[in-house]
C-alpha cells in the first residue's frame, strides 16, 4: 500500500497528464475534479467541475456520486488538508464520496478520505437459525423441554430473510407465539456473523425487563460458546438515572432546596447510590417523591459531560458505553423517538445520538409507535408540569432561588449583592405572578372539559371565537406569558452577571440549573401559544385539551402534526436496512392497511416486504373462561356503590381461584380505593400487591414467587407482563 502523500501509482498515466494540463490551463490556480476509481482505489478517470483562485475552489455539493472521489490541487505544493478540507471530506464521506489533494503536476496524491466501499455481510443460513428453535435445537436443549411453536419458527424465518435481504416486516403474533425468541435468535445470529447490533424497542417497561432480565440471559447461555458470547444492554432516558453531581449538590443544599420531610428520602437515595449497580429509578427499593427525584436525576441540559468530576462513575454514560459495544440494545419507544428527533435536528444518521448508530431495528408492541412518536414530534404542556417547573424555582421557601440567594448572601462581591437584590425585587415577585396567572388560566381551561364525557376537547379554528376568550382566557394567557418572560429576563440577567464575577463550583451548578429551567419556560410559552392561538400557516396540526392526572383534576394541552406518516417514513423506515414491527394487535380483520397508512408504509412504493399473522397457540375455548358482570352499578352515577360491588366481585373470584389474580384498573384513584377495601374484605388471606407501593419489577417478582397473590395495577401492567 502506497503512503497517501506518495501514491502516484494510484493515478493512471493518461489521467495524470489530463489533471496536470487542466491545472496548467488555469495558470496554477486551484481546480476541482471528480475522479472515478476502481475497486483497489486507483484513479482511472477524471472530469473538471470547477476552477477557483490560488487558495480556494468550490467544493460543489452533489457533483460527485457514491463511489467517486473529489480531487483538487494545492498550488503551493503542500498537500496537508486544511480545516475546510477536513470538513468537506467528512460531508463527502457521509454521501459515499472520497476526497483527495494533488500537486499541480499531478505526480503526488494525498487521499484524505478513501472512497467508502459498500460493506459486505455474511448471509445467515435460514434453516440453521430456525433449527435453534426446533425440537433438537440449542434452545430446546437449554430449556430441557420442547414445546412446538410453528408460528415462532415461521416468524423467525421471516426475520432471517429480512436480515439477509433488508426490508420492512409487519408480523402480528398472538399471545403465546413466543415472538421475543423469534426475533432475538436471528438478531444474535446476525451479530455473531457480522458484528452488527440490533436495537429492540418496546412500549412497556415490563417487556424491557423481561428481555434483559430473562430472555437475553437465557439465550446467551443457550447460544453462546467458547468462541463467542452475546452481549446486550438496556438503555433508558436521562431522567431514569441518578446524577451523582446533582446528588452531591442536593445533599449539600438540602435545607434550602427541599422541605424537611424530604431529608430522610434524600439521605436514603445517597446511601443507595453507593451500592446500586445501574443507578436507575427502577432499582430503588421504593419510588421516590417527584420533588426529590427532580433534584437528583440526570438531565441532558444540566450535564457538563466529560468535564464532570463524576464522569468516569456516571451511571448514565456507563450505560451508554456498555450499549455501544452490545449486540442487542433494548430501549423503549420514547427513547427511540427522542433519538430520531436528535438525528433529524443534527442530520446525523451515522454516529451516536441518543442511541448508538443502528441499521437493524425490531419494534415490539409496535401498535403504540404512532402515539409515542406524536408525543415527541409534537408539543405538550400540562398544569402539573408548569406547577413543578415553577416549584423548581421556589416552593415553601425551598428550591433553586432560595439556595442561590443563600449562596450570594455569603459573598461580599458587588455582582453577587446586585444579583441578590434583583432576585428579591423581581424574581420572587415574578414567580408569584407566574404561579397565580397559570393557576387561573388552567382552572378556566379545566372548566372547558370538566363536563365533557371522556374529558377531551378538540381545539379547531372555531375555538378562536369561543366565549372563553372574552370571559378571561385572553387576559390570563397574556398574564402567564408576561410573567414567564419576566422570569426569563431576570434569570438571564442574574446568570450573565454572576458568570462574570468570582464563582464557586456550587454557584456555577446552580446557574446551570437555573438556565435549564429558563429553557423549559421558553418551551412552555411557545407551546401555550401554539396550542391555544396558533399563527396562520405552517404545517397542519391537531390541537386538543384534556383532563389528566390521577384525580382528573389536571389539564394538558397538546399539538401534534396532522400526518405523521411521511415523517416516520423519512426518519425511520427509509434509514434502516431491516425493520420488523410486531405485536399481538397489528392487523384489523387480517388487514394491515390501516397501520401501514398511519406509519407511512402504504402506497405503491411501500417498503413492506412481509405481512403475516401468526395465531396464538393457546386453546382459549378450553383454557379460558370469559365473564362480564352485568349487575355492577354505573360508576358515573354511583361511584361508591360501584366500588363496593367491584370489591365483592374480586373477593368472590379470589375465593373461587384461591388468589393468583391480576386486577387491572383504568385509574389510580380507583385502584387505591379498591386496595383499601380489599385488605379488609380478604382479611389478609392472600398477599395483596399494589402498584405504587413498590417498583413494578419487584411486584411482579413477588407475584411469581407467591403463586397465590392478588396484584392490583393500572396501564403499565396491561401489556408485556410475563408470569
Amino acid at each position: 500500500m502506497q503512503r497517501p502523500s506518495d501514491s502516484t501509482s494510484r493515478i493512471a498515466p493518461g489521467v495524470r497528464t489530463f489533471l496536470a494540463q487542466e491545472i496548467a490551463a488555469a495558470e496554477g490556480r486551484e481546480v476541482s475534479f471528480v475522479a472515478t476509481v476502481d475497486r483497489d482505489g486507483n484513479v482511472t478517470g477524471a472530469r473538471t467541475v470547477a476552477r477557483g483562485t490560488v487558495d480556494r475552489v468550490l467544493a460543489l455539493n452533489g457533483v460527485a456520486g457514491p463511489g467517486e472521489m473529489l480531487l483538487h490541487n494545492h498550488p503551493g505544493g503542500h498537500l496537508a488538508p486544511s480545516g475546510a478540507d477536513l470538513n468537506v471530506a467528512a460531508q463527502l464521506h457521509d454521501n459515499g464520496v472520497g476526497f483527495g489533494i494533488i500537486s499541480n503536476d499531478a505526480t503526488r496524491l494525498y487521499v484524505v478520505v478513501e472512497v467508502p466501499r459498500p460493506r459486505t455481510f455474511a448471509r445467515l443460513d435460514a434453516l440453521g437459525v430456525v433449527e435453534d428453535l426446533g425440537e433438537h435445537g440449542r434452545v430446546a436443549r437449554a430449556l430441557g423441554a420442547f414445546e412446538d411453536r410453528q408460528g415462532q419458527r415461521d416468524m423467525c424465518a421471516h426475520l432471517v430473510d429480512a436480515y439477509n435481504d433488508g426490508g420492512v416486516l409487519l408480523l402480528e403474533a398472538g399471545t403465546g407465539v413466543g415472538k421475543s425468541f423469534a426475533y432475538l435468535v436471528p438478531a444474535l445470529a446476525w451479530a455473531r456473523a457480522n458484528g452488527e447490533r440490533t436495537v429492540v424497542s418496546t412500549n412497556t417497561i415490563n417487556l424491557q425487563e423481561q428481555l434483559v432480565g430473562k430472555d437475553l440471559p437465557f439465550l446467551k447461555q443457550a447460544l453462546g460458546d467458547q468462541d463467542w458470547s452475546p452481549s446486550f444492554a438496556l438503555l433508558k432516558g436521562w431522567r431514569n438515572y441518578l446524577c451523582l453531581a446533582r446528588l452531591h449538590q442536593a445533599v449539600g443544599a438540602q435545607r434550602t432546596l427541599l422541605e424537611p420531610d424530604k431529608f430522610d428520602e434524600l439521605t436514603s437515595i445517597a446511601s443507595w447510590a453507593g451500592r446500586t449497580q445501574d443507578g436507575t429509578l427502577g432499582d430503588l427499593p421504593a419510588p421516590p417523591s417527584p420533588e426529590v427525584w427532580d433534584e437528583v436525576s440526570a438531565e441532558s441540559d444540566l450535564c457538563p459531560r466529560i468535564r464532570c468530576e463524576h464522569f468516569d462513575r456516571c451511571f448514565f454514560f456507563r450505560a451508554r458505553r456498555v450499549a455501544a459495544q452490545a449486540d442487542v440494545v433494548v430501549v423503549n419507544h420514547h427513547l427511540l423517538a427522542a433519538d430520531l428527533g436528535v438525528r433529524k435536528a443534527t442530520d446525523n444518521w451515522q454516529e451516536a445520538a441518543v442511541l448508538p448508530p443502528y441499521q437493524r431495528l425490531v419494534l415490539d408492541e409496535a401498535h403504540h409507535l404512532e402515539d409515542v412518536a406524536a408525543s415527541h414530534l409534537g408539543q405538550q404542556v400540562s398544569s402539573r408540569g408548569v406547577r413543578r417547573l415553577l416549584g423548581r424555582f421556589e416552593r415553601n421557601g425551598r428550591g433553586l432561588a432560595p439556595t442561590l440567594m443563600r449562596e450570594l448572601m455569603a459573598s461580599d462581591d458587588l455582582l453577587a449583592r446586585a444579583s441578590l437584590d434583583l432576585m428579591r425585587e423581581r424574581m420572587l415577585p415574578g414567580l408569584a405572578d407566574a404561579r397565580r396567572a397559570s393557576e387561573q388560566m388552567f382552572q378556566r381551561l379545566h372548566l372547558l372539559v370538566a363536563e365533557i364525557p371522556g374529558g377531551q376537547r378538540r381545539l379547531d379554528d372555531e375555538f378562536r371565537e369561543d366565549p372563553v376568550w372574552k370571559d378571561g382566557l385572553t387576559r390570563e394567557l397574556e398574564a402567564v406569558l408576561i410573567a414567564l418572560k419576566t422570569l426569563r429576563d431576570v434569570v438571564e440577567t442574574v446568570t450573565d452577571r454572576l458568570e462574570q464575577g468570582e464563582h464557586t463550583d456550587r454557584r456555577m451548578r446552580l446557574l446551570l440549573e437555573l438556565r435549564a429551567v429558563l429553557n423549559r419556560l421558553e418551551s412552555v410559552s411557545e407551546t401555550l401559544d401554539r396550542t391555544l392561538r396558533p399563527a396562520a400557516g405552517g404545517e397542519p396540526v391537531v390541537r386538543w385539551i384534556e383532563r389528566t392526572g390521577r384525580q382528573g383534576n389536571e389539564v394538558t394541552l397538546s399539538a401534534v402534526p396532522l400526518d405523521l406518516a411521511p415523517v416516520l417514513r423519512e426518519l425511520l423506515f427509509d434509514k434502516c436496512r431491516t425493520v420488523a414491527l410486531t405485536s399481538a394487535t397489528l392487523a384489523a380483520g387480517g388487514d394491515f392497511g390501516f397501520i401501514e397508512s398511519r406509519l407511512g408504509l402504504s402506497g405503491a412504493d411501500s417498503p413492506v416486504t412481509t405481512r403475516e399473522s401468526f395465531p396464538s397457540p393457546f386453546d382459549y375455548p378450553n383454557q379460558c373462561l370469559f365473564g362480564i358482570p352485568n349487575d355492577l352499578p354505573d360508576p358515573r352515577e354511583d361511584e361508591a356503590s360501584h366500588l363496593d360491588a367491584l370489591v365483592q366481585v374480586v373477593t368472590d373470584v379470589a375465593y373461587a381461584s384461591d388468589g393468583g389474580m391480576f386486577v387491572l384498573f383504568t385509574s389510580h384513584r380507583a385502584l387505591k380505593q379498591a386496595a383499601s377495601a380489599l385488605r379488609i374484605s380478604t382479611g389478609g388471606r392472600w398477599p395483596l400487591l399494589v402498584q405504587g407501593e413498590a417498583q413494578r419489577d419487584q411486584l411482579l417478582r413477588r407475584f411469581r414467587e407467591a403463586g397465590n397473590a392478588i396484584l392490583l395495577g393500572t396501564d403499565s401492567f396491561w401489556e408485556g407482563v410475563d408470569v
Side-chain angles (χ1 to χ4, degrees), residues 3 56 64 105 108 135 152 243 249 257 264 290 320 334 570 615 678:
R3 287 180 293 129
R56 68 186 62 187
D105 58 4
R108 291 182 296 145
E135 181 177 3
Q152 184 184 63
C243 172
Q249 172 188 292
L257 200 61
D264 289 344
R320 267 141 184 77
H334 288 277
E570 175 192 358
L678 283 169

Side-chain angles (χ1 to χ4, degrees), residues 671-723:
L671 180 149
K672 289 183 177 180
Q673 292 174 337
S676 298
L678 283 169
R679 284 193 169 95
I680 298 173
S681 67
T682 60
R685 178 165 180 168
W686 304 280
L688 190 65
L689 308 175
V690 182
Q691 181 177 348
E693 295 181 359
Q695 299 288 1
R696 276 177 288 257
D697 61 327
Q698 297 169 359
L699 291 174
L700 286 171
R701 184 173 64 252
R702 289 163 59 188
F703 183 81
R704 285 191 290 264
E705 292 171 351
N708 66 342
I710 301 174
L711 191 151
L712 278 58
T714 57
D715 54 350
S716 60
F717 283 91
W718 283 68
E719 289 182 89
V721 177
D722 181 14
V723 292

Side-chain angles (χ1 to χ4, degrees), residues 406-467:
R406 182 175 182 178
E407 174 84 11
L408 297 178
M409 289 170 64
S411 179
D412 59 358
D413 66 273
L414 293 176
L415 286 175
R417 288 201 297 271
S419 298
L420 181 61
D421 291 341
L422 187 60
M423 293 181 70
R424 286 171 173 163
E425 295 169 6
R426 294 194 59 199
M427 178 182 283
L428 294 183
L431 180 62
D433 290 342
R435 186 171 278 135
R436 181 173 54 254
S438 61
E439 288 294 333
Q440 291 174 348
M441 181 191 69
F442 282 120
Q443 285 176 10
R444 188 174 301 279
L445 293 173
H446 186 270
L447 292 175
L448 282 178
V449 291
E451 303 302 324
I452 297 178
Q456 190 176 89
R457 173 175 171 175
R458 170 86 176 271
L459 302 180
D460 52 21
D461 291 340
E462 295 179 358
F463 181 63
R464 296 175 181 272
E465 309 301 325
D466 193 286

Side-chain angles (χ1 to χ4, degrees), residues 546-557:
E546 60 185 324
R547 293 198 314 266
T548 53
R550 297 188 176 184
Q551 310 296 328
N553 56 354
E554 302 286 353
V555 172
T556 297
L557 294 163

Side-chain angles (χ1 to χ4, degrees), residues 531-661:
T531 52
L532 291 174
R533 53 180 191 188
E539 66 175 358
V541 297
V542 177
R543 300 175 293 129
W544 72 93
I545 179 175
E546 60 185 324
R547 293 198 314 266
T548 53
R550 297 188 176 184
Q551 310 296 328
N553 56 354
E554 302 286 353
V555 172
T556 297
L557 294 163
S558 302
V560 302
L562 179 62
D563 188 5
L564 285 169
V567 178
L568 289 172
R569 176 69 178 269
E570 175 192 358
L571 298 184
L572 187 62
F573 301 111
D574 286 348
K575 301 297 184 184
C576 293
R577 291 192 180 98
T578 302
V579 183
L581 298 92
T582 186
S583 165
T585 52
L586 279 185
D591 183 5
F592 292 92
F594 179 75
I595 194 167
E596 288 186 46
S597 67
R598 299 303 300 172
L599 298 182
L601 297 174
S602 59
D605 63 342
S606 171
V608 177
T609 55
T610 302
R611 302 170 180 84
E612 288 289 344
S613 293
F614 307 100
S616 171
F618 291 162
D619 183 5
Y620 283 113
N622 294 312
Q623 293 180 317
C624 178
L625 177 65
F626 183 61
I628 302 177
N630 59 11
D631 56 350
L632 271 65
D634 190 326
R636 294 169 296 183
E637 298 176 359
D638 190 346
E639 185 178 0
S641 297
H642 173 81
L643 176 65
D644 291 341
L646 170 67
V647 170
Q648 187 61 52
V649 169
V650 173
T651 303
D652 291 344
V653 175
Y655 275 98
S657 64
D658 191 26
M661 298 170 58

Side-chain angles (χ1 to χ4, degrees), residues 437-505:
S438 61
E439 288 294 333
Q440 291 174 348
M441 181 191 69
F442 282 120
Q443 285 176 10
R444 188 174 301 279
L445 293 173
H446 186 270
L447 292 175
L448 282 178
V449 291
E451 303 302 324
I452 297 178
Q456 190 176 89
R457 173 175 171 175
R458 170 86 176 271
L459 302 180
D460 52 21
D461 291 340
E462 295 179 358
F463 181 63
R464 296 175 181 272
E465 309 301 325
D466 193 286
V468 71
W469 291 102
K470 292 182 179 179
D471 291 344
L473 183 57
T474 299
R475 180 182 65 256
E476 291 157 359
L477 176 59
E478 289 296 334
V480 171
L481 296 178
I482 291 172
L484 293 181
K485 184 179 185 305
T486 299
L487 273 180
R488 294 199 304 271
D489 291 344
V490 174
V491 170
E492 285 182 341
T493 302
V494 169
T495 53
D496 288 345
R497 281 180 179 176
L498 294 179
E499 286 173 352
Q500 296 173 21
E502 298 180 3
H503 48 260
T504 62
D505 289 342

Side-chain angles (χ1 to χ4, degrees), residues 96-158:
V97 179
F99 187 69
I101 304 169
I102 58 176
S103 58
N104 278 9
D105 58 4
T107 59
R108 291 182 296 145
L109 165 66
Y110 187 97
V111 179
V112 181
V113 172
E114 297 285 357
V115 174
R117 296 299 178 188
R119 180 179 175 183
T120 58
F121 293 101
R123 294 179 66 84
L124 297 180
D125 173 17
L127 292 177
V129 176
V130 173
E131 179 57 31
D132 277 332
L133 293 170
E135 181 177 3
H136 304 293
R138 289 183 289 176
V139 171
R141 289 199 298 270
L143 282 172
F146 175 72
E147 184 176 320
D148 183 45
R149 300 187 188 187
Q150 183 63 46
Q152 184 184 63
R153 297 200 302 278
D154 291 344
M155 182 175 170
C156 175
H158 284 300

Side-chain angles (χ1 to χ4, degrees), residues 154-450:
D154 291 344
M155 182 175 170
C156 175
H158 284 300
L159 263 296
V160 172
D161 290 342
Y163 274 99
N164 285 334
D165 302 319
V168 176
L169 302 86
L170 294 171
L171 304 172
E172 183 176 78
T175 303
V177 167
K179 62 181 185 298
S180 59
F181 276 22
Y183 60 69
L184 289 176
V185 169
L188 294 175
W190 185 259
R192 178 168 193 166
N194 295 289
E196 188 179 36
R197 75 171 54 85
T198 294
V199 169
V200 177
S201 180
T202 78
N203 187 64
T204 62
I205 293 176
N206 298 319
L207 182 53
Q208 287 179 297
E209 292 170 344
Q210 175 196 320
L211 293 174
V212 175
K214 179 182 177 184
D215 295 345
L216 283 165
F218 169 80
L219 291 175
K220 179 176 182 177
Q221 177 184 2
L223 304 179
D225 54 40
Q226 61 181 3
D227 297 323
W228 179 74
S229 179
S231 58
F232 53 88
L234 172 63
L235 274 186
K236 301 179 181 180
W238 280 85
R239 280 183 51 81
N240 284 277
Y241 294 89
L242 175 72
C243 172
L244 294 173
R246 297 191 75 208
L247 173 65
H248 181 75
Q249 172 188 292
V251 170
Q254 59 180 310
R255 298 195 178 280
T256 53
L257 200 61
L258 297 167
E259 289 81 356
D261 62 341
K262 300 292 190 295
F263 292 174
D264 289 344
E265 192 175 340
L266 183 63
T267 301
S268 176
I269 291 176
S271 175
W272 163 80
R275 60 180 185 274
T276 179
Q277 295 299 309
D278 66 1
T280 65
L281 189 57
D283 190 49
L284 273 166
S289 61
E291 294 81 7
V292 172
W293 193 249
D294 277 347
E295 301 300 340
V296 299
S297 61
E299 300 272 10
S300 61
D301 51 357
L302 298 178
C303 181
R305 272 70 174 179
I306 198 170
R307 299 190 307 275
C308 178
E309 61 180 312
H310 302 282
F311 182 78
D312 290 339
R313 299 186 297 121
C314 176
F315 297 115
F316 177 83
F317 285 103
R318 182 192 300 168
R320 267 141 184 77
R321 287 192 290 271
V322 172
Q325 305 299 320
D327 296 317
V328 175
V329 179
V330 179
V331 303
N332 64 22
H333 295 341
H334 288 277
L335 200 61
L336 177 70
D339 179 75
L340 295 178
V342 171
R343 293 188 186 279
K344 179 184 179 183
T346 59
D347 195 27
N348 165 28
W349 304 98
Q350 305 296 327
E351 306 299 329
V354 176
L355 303 179
Y358 57 91
Q359 287 291 304
R360 316 287 174 172
L361 173 66
V362 174
L363 294 162
D364 204 340
E365 302 174 320
H367 58 286
H368 290 289
L369 178 63
E370 183 186 10
D371 289 341
V372 174
S375 68
H376 278 269
L377 299 175
Q379 291 177 288
Q380 194 173 77
V381 63
S382 69
S383 54
R384 181 172 180 265
V386 172
R387 192 180 308 115
R388 287 178 62 180
L389 190 59
L390 296 176
R392 293 288 308 283
F393 271 109
E394 186 275 337
R395 58 186 180 277
N396 302 322
R398 305 294 196 277
L400 293 173
T403 301
L404 180 58
M405 291 173 69
R406 182 175 182 178
E407 174 84 11
L408 297 178
M409 289 170 64
S411 179
D412 59 358
D413 66 273
L414 293 176
L415 286 175
R417 288 201 297 271
S419 298
L420 181 61
D421 291 341
L422 187 60
M423 293 181 70
R424 286 171 173 163
E425 295 169 6
R426 294 194 59 199
M427 178 182 283
L428 294 183
L431 180 62
D433 290 342
R435 186 171 278 135
R436 181 173 54 254
S438 61
E439 288 294 333
Q440 291 174 348
M441 181 191 69
F442 282 120
Q443 285 176 10
R444 188 174 301 279
L445 293 173
H446 186 270
L447 292 175
L448 282 178
V449 291

